[in-house]
């Protein structure tokens, strides 16, 4: 069975359609888009009727034979769609698919949609029966390192372009949920008629009602205003802002501070170092204040602390993300005058 990557599918469908297409994978959005591409190509080539079958434990596989043998009253060609979530058709299903593959009709196109197929499934009789007549479109998840590039491509397809910081923020917001990413991109199309997505605009979208307060929180922490920063953190939580959006804003500033501190340690002028690190002119005063309080070893500890918060957010550590964010905010503000244990009580109310 020819294997076709999703990005190769449109070109492959320009030629003569195969009698059978198998689309497998656990990423719903990408599976749906691959199937839509096949359906569109089928309609373009005269398969104007579609017959859909969901395979459940009581499914009658005789329906596949009936669908293939029946003549349509409304169309000369038909798309037969079999949705097989488990990827395991059983003995009856294996026989039915094998029999169909043995004598495919030019008037029918079979589209089989399954979850991820393991190596045992690809060695099964039904899979091998389709091998000589069909094409397999395996859908693989988008790994975290690939996600920024994937989002950037999606934005370009939507006629948008975005700052790197904006893309990074959206990555932290969706946590690998590609459907959520496409929904946010649709929202951005309405909010950015000029086509450019700034970091501020992305923050206002993904933080919902927070309205730039993630930046206000970071500014208060940089200035050493621990009480004000804690108040902002509590407000963000109360408004329903998601922890990843807050963590992103804090981590971005910590990384920039560390980059500037490294350059200063190498003898560079602070103004030049801040410009190289991409610090906005209006925030350079805040960075200067923070750097008088936070030295490079301290910033390295803060970055490791932020990584720990990230693990808590993702469920990889048994810790409350908002408690962890509180500790990070206080450490960034460089104060020990406030007691985190007492403040946590107010954050949990």
């Amino acid at each position: 069975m020819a294997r076709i990557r999703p990005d190769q599918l449109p070109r492959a469908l320009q030629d003569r359609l195969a009698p059978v297409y198998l689309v497998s994978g656990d990423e719903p959005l990408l599976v749906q888009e691959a199937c839509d591409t096949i359906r569109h190509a089928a309609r373009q080539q005269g398969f104007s009727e579609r017959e859909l079958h969901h395979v459940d434990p009581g499914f009658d596989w005789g329906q596949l034979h009936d669908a293939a043998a029946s003549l349509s009253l409304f169309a000369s060609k038909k798309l037969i769609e079999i949705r097989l979530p488990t990827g395991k058709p059983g003995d009856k299903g294996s026989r039915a698919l094998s029999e169909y593959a043995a004598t495919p009709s030019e008037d029918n196109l079979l589209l089989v949609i399954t979850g991820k197929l393991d190596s045992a499934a690809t060695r099964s009789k039904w899979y091998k029966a389709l091998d000589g007549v069909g094409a397999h479109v395996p859908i693989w998840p988008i790994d975290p390192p690939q996600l920024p590039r994937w989002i950037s491509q999606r934005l370009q397809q939507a006629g948008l372009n975005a700052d790197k910081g904006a893309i990074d923020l959206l990555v932290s917001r969706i946590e690998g949920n590609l459907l959520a990413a496409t929904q946010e991109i649709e929202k951005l199309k309405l909010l950015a008629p000029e086509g450019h997505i700034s970091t501020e605009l992305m923050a206002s979208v993904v933080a919902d009602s927070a309205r730039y307060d993630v930046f206000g929180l970071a500014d208060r922490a940089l200035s050493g205003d621990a009480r004000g920063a804690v108040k902002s953190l509590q407000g963000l939580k109360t408004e329903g802002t998601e922890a990843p959006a807050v963590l992103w804003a804090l981590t971005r500033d910590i990384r920039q501070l560390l980059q500037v501190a490294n350059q200063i340690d190498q003898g560079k002028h602070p103004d030049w170092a801040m410009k190289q690190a991409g610090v906005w002119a209006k925030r350079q005063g805040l960075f200067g204040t923070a750097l008088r309080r936070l030295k490079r070893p301290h910033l390295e500890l803060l970055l490791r602390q932020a990584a720990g918060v990230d693990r808590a957010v993702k469920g990889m550590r048994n810790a409350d993300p908002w408690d962890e964010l509180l500790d990070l905010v206080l450490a960034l503000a460089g104060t020990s005058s406030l007691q985190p244990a007492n403040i946590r009580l107010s954050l949990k109310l």
Side-chain angles (χ1 to χ4, degrees), residues 101-301:
T103 56
S105 169
E106 292 184 356
D107 294 330
N108 295 322
L109 188 152
L110 179 64
L111 173 59
V112 181
I113 307 167
T114 77
K116 181 182 177 181
L117 296 179
D118 56 23
S119 57
T122 59
R123 294 193 301 268
S124 64
K125 291 182 179 179
W126 67 269
Y127 185 93
K128 291 180 178 180
L130 302 179
D131 186 41
V133 297
H136 182 194
V137 185
I139 305 294
W140 301 104
I142 303 297
D143 294 331
Q146 301 171 324
L147 196 51
R149 181 180 178 185
W150 184 86
I151 287 177
S152 178
Q153 291 173 340
R154 287 291 169 135
L155 287 167
Q156 290 176 11
Q157 291 171 7
L160 303 171
N161 64 82
D163 298 339
K164 182 180 182 300
I167 293 174
D168 289 343
L169 179 54
L170 183 55
V171 168
S172 71
R173 164 69 168 80
I174 64 169
E175 297 184 342
N177 187 332
L178 303 188
L179 181 58
T182 60
Q183 292 171 343
E184 296 290 358
I185 290 171
E186 287 301 311
K187 190 190 305 182
L188 288 165
K189 287 168 64 177
L190 300 176
L191 297 174
E194 309 85 7
H196 179 71
I197 310 300
S198 65
T199 303
E200 294 92 336
L201 175 58
M202 186 70 78
S204 70
V205 172
V206 303
D208 298 324
S209 59
R211 299 192 199 99
Y212 303 101
D213 278 355
V214 289
F215 294 106
L217 164 64
D219 287 351
R220 291 183 179 92
L222 289 175
S223 69
D225 179 10
R227 292 186 182 277
V230 170
K231 184 177 180 180
S232 292
L233 182 65
Q234 184 175 4
L236 288 167
K237 183 184 179 187
T238 301
E239 291 178 352
T241 305
E242 295 188 20
V246 179
L247 177 61
W248 171 85
L250 297 172
T251 304
R252 185 196 65 163
D253 283 353
I254 293 168
R255 285 176 176 155
Q256 285 185 312
L257 282 167
L258 184 55
Q259 185 177 346
V260 173
N262 285 332
Q263 292 292 332
I264 292 175
D265 286 352
Q266 294 173 22
K268 306 297 183 183
H269 191 279
D271 292 344
W272 183 90
M274 289 186 198
K275 184 176 180 180
Q276 289 298 111
V279 180
W280 300 331
K282 65 181 181 181
R283 303 189 76 219
Q284 289 182 6
L286 284 171
F287 270 63
T289 299
L291 287 168
R292 284 191 290 274
R293 185 178 66 251
L294 304 170
K295 303 306 178 184
R296 183 170 57 82
H298 192 180
L299 292 168
E300 290 173 346
L301 288 173

Side-chain angles (χ1 to χ4, degrees), residues 21 37 70 75 98 101 192 218 241 243-244 271-272 281 312:
Y21 287 93
T37 301
S70 64
S98 299
T241 305
D271 292 344
W272 183 90

